[in-house]
């Protein structure tokens, strides 16, 4: 189809905005780290669009976004791509109490490095803020996923330099550094399967979908408990998984359906 990643993401943002409007102040505060995590993707897609990589206008993408008006204005304002990135970086660094890291990353490694540092800074900021235990467990898993993915890629492709591990996960940076030092890919796989509590049918699933499926199973299990915020977190994850899967299908087009099925998450 002609649908873009932005249009798919727009559907998720629309649902998040509706849910946010139904929440009272307590739930909005509790779930703000999750909504913020979703909105990182909005920032990334909007910046890609301004670089000419997307097909959706900023107004369309941002109409359901929960981003602060200041960030929306920075994303949709006039200027060349480096100027837009610089404006956004200043605002986000102020929010996350950082200085210069995003812009330096962009200057050193382009948009890809900007996106990587943005994710790391946000994850560490969330854990430093002492979120609700439900959110803390969710983001701890995401940090473990980020660290294991980085380690897996470094060992698989024999990358000489590996960025520092993200703080706040259940697997300590010291333990990960030891695995890196031993060049022990087998241990990386063991840690991933232990984190994801893999099932037999996951044996042929690629590394990242395996971890994401494990997170989905944990949230589905929590979501069966009546009352409390867990069912809502499970539902929002399902919405995210649907958006991710649709985006994958759009990008893959008519490629090998059997291979694509191993990349999908639930």
């Amino acid at each position: 189809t002609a649908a873009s990643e932005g249009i798919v993401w727009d559907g998720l943002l629309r649902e998040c905005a509706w849910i946010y409007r139904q929440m009272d102040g307590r739930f909005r505060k509790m779930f703000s780290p999750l909504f913020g995590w979703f909105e990182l993707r909005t920032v990334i897609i909007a910046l890609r669009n301004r670089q000419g990589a997307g097909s959706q206008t900023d107004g369309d993408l941002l109409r359901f976004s929960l981003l602060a008006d200041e960030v929306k204005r920075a994303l949709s304002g006039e200027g060349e791509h480096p100027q837009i990135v610089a404006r956004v970086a200043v605002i986000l660094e102020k929010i996350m109490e950082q200085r210069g890291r995003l812009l330096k990353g962009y200057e050193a490694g382009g948009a890809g490095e900007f996106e990587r540092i943005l994710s790391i800074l946000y994850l560490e900021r969330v854990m430093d803020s002492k979120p609700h235990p439900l959110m803390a467990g969710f983001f701890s898993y995401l940090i473990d996923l980020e660290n294991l993915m980085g380690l897996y890629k470094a060992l698989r492709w024999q990358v000489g330099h590996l960025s520092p591990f993200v703080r706040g996960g259940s697997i300590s940076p010291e333990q990960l550094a030891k695995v890196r030092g031993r060049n022990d890919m087998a241990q990386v796989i063991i840690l991933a399967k232990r984190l994801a509590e893999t099932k037999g049918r996951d044996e042929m699933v690629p590394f990242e979908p395996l971890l994401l499926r494990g997170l989905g199973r944990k949230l589905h299990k929590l979501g069966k408990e009546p009352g409390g915020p867990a069912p809502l977190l499970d539902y929002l994850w399902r919405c995210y998984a649907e958006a991710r899967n649709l985006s994958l299908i759009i990008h893959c087009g008519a490629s090998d359906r059997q291979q694509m099925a191993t990349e999908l998450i639930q």
Side-chain angles (χ1 to χ4, degrees):
T1 72
S4 71
E5 183 181 11
I7 293 173
V8 171
W9 197 250
D10 180 78
L12 174 64
L13 295 181
R14 184 190 311 225
E15 187 68 7
C16 287
W18 183 87
I19 291 173
Y20 182 82
R21 289 196 301 269
Q22 314 312 310
M23 290 178 166
D24 59 19
R26 181 175 65 90
F27 264 66
R28 287 182 180 184
K29 181 179 180 180
M30 185 189 308
F31 278 84
S32 63
L34 180 64
F35 289 129
W37 182 64
F38 287 157
E39 293 291 1
L40 292 187
R41 193 69 186 163
T42 308
V43 171
I44 290 168
I45 294 172
L47 289 175
R48 288 177 180 175
N49 286 350
R50 296 304 303 271
Q51 200 172 19
S55 61
Q56 192 177 41
T57 65
D58 298 317
D60 289 339
L61 180 64
L62 300 176
R63 59 179 171 167
F64 294 113
S65 171
L66 297 174
L67 286 169
D69 290 339
E70 183 182 19
V71 181
K72 291 181 180 180
R73 287 194 296 269
L75 287 169
S76 58
E78 297 295 327
E80 297 297 319
H81 192 258
Q83 295 172 305
I84 298 168
V85 170
R87 288 200 303 262
V88 173
V90 169
I91 298 169
L92 296 180
E93 286 174 350
K94 182 178 179 181
I95 294 171
M96 294 185 285
E97 298 181 355
Q98 297 289 329
R99 179 177 291 184
R101 288 184 62 182
L102 284 172
L103 196 54
K104 288 178 182 177
Y106 178 75
E107 292 170 349
E113 185 66 6
F114 176 91
E115 294 170 10
R116 188 188 70 82
I117 294 175
L118 176 60
S119 175
I120 290 172
L121 292 180
Y122 187 80
L123 290 172
E124 291 187 342
R125 175 63 177 166
V126 167
M127 296 306 286
D128 288 343
S129 69
K130 307 298 182 185
H132 183 277
L134 183 67
M135 289 293 117
F138 176 81
F139 279 96
S140 175
Y141 191 108
L142 288 182
I143 290 171
D144 287 333
L145 188 154
E146 178 85 18
N147 287 335
L148 287 173
M149 279 298 303
L151 186 53
Y152 175 82
K153 291 176 180 178
L155 295 186
R156 181 175 182 181
W157 305 112
Q158 291 299 302
V159 177
H161 173 72
L162 179 61
S163 300
F165 295 110
V166 186
R167 297 181 287 102
S170 66
I171 307 172
S172 71
E174 292 77 16
Q175 182 179 0
L176 293 166
K178 288 179 181 178
V179 175
R180 169 65 166 143
R182 297 195 302 266
N183 203 36
D184 191 349
M185 178 64 89
Q187 185 61 27
V188 176
I189 302 300
I190 289 171
L191 289 172
K193 290 183 175 181
R194 186 181 301 161
L195 177 68
E197 299 178 3
T198 54
K199 305 293 184 181
R201 62 180 179 275
D202 288 335
E203 291 301 317
M204 302 304 294
V205 175
F207 194 80
E208 185 177 21
L210 181 145
L211 291 169
L212 290 171
R213 289 183 182 190
L215 177 55
R217 282 195 297 269
K218 289 177 183 288
L219 297 181
H220 299 343
K221 183 177 179 180
L222 288 172
K224 293 177 182 178
E225 300 176 4
L232 184 53
L233 177 58
D234 178 36
Y235 175 71
L236 287 167
W237 174 258
R238 290 172 187 266
C239 292
Y240 168 79
E242 180 182 58
R244 183 187 183 279
N245 289 342
L246 286 172
S247 181
L248 177 66
I249 291 169
I250 289 170
H251 283 296
C252 290
S255 62
D256 185 354
R257 290 177 179 239
Q258 186 174 359
Q259 175 60 33
M260 187 191 305
T262 66
E263 299 280 350
L264 300 177
I265 61 173
Q266 294 92 25

